Amino acid sequence: SAGEEPIAGISSQHLCDRINKVSRIKPTYVPNHEELPALLNRLLQDDDILLAQGAGSVSKIVAELLKHNQKRK
C-alpha cells in the first residue's frame, strides 16, 4: 500500500489466489519479504529473470535481494 487506504476484499493474497484459479501461471504468495531470499534460492535457475513490481518499499526489498545475491557469488 503506497500510503493509500486499503480496498475491501483486495489484497496480495486475493490477487495470487485469483491468478491461480484462472491462469496457467502459478504465482507464489510470500507474506513476509524476509522469506524471499531463501524462496528465490530454491525457485530461480540460471538465466531466469525476476520481475519485481509494487509500491512502497519494493525498491528497498529489491536492494536487499541484490545484496543477498552478491553474497552467494
Side-chain angles (χ1 to χ4, degrees), residues 37 41 63-73:
N41 280 337
E64 290 173 15
L65 290 173
L66 288 171
K67 185 168 57 172
H68 179 78
N69 189 53
Q70 291 300 322
K71 289 179 184 176
R72 287 182 35 209
K73 294 183 176 185

Side-chain angles (χ1 to χ4, degrees), residues 1-4 52-61:
S1 96
E4 298 101 0
Q53 65 183 60
S57 61
V58 71
S59 59
K60 179 181 175 189
I61 293 167

Side-chain angles (χ1 to χ4, degrees), residues 4-67:
E4 298 101 0
E5 290 295 319
I7 300 171
I10 305 297
S11 67
S12 298
Q13 178 70 62
H14 177 76
L15 177 61
C16 188
D17 292 345
R18 293 295 297 158
I19 291 171
N20 270 316
K21 286 182 182 177
V22 300
S23 176
R24 292 183 306 186
I25 298 169
K26 299 301 175 197
T28 301
Y29 175 68
V30 182
N32 182 344
H33 71 84
E34 288 147 358
E35 298 171 16
L36 282 172
L39 176 68
L40 293 176
N41 280 337
R42 289 194 313 270
L43 295 177
L44 294 179
Q45 300 176 12
D46 289 345
D47 299 321
D48 279 354
I49 295 172
L50 172 66
L51 172 65
Q53 65 183 60
S57 61
V58 71
S59 59
K60 179 181 175 189
I61 293 167
V62 170
E64 290 173 15
L65 290 173
L66 288 171
K67 185 168 57 172

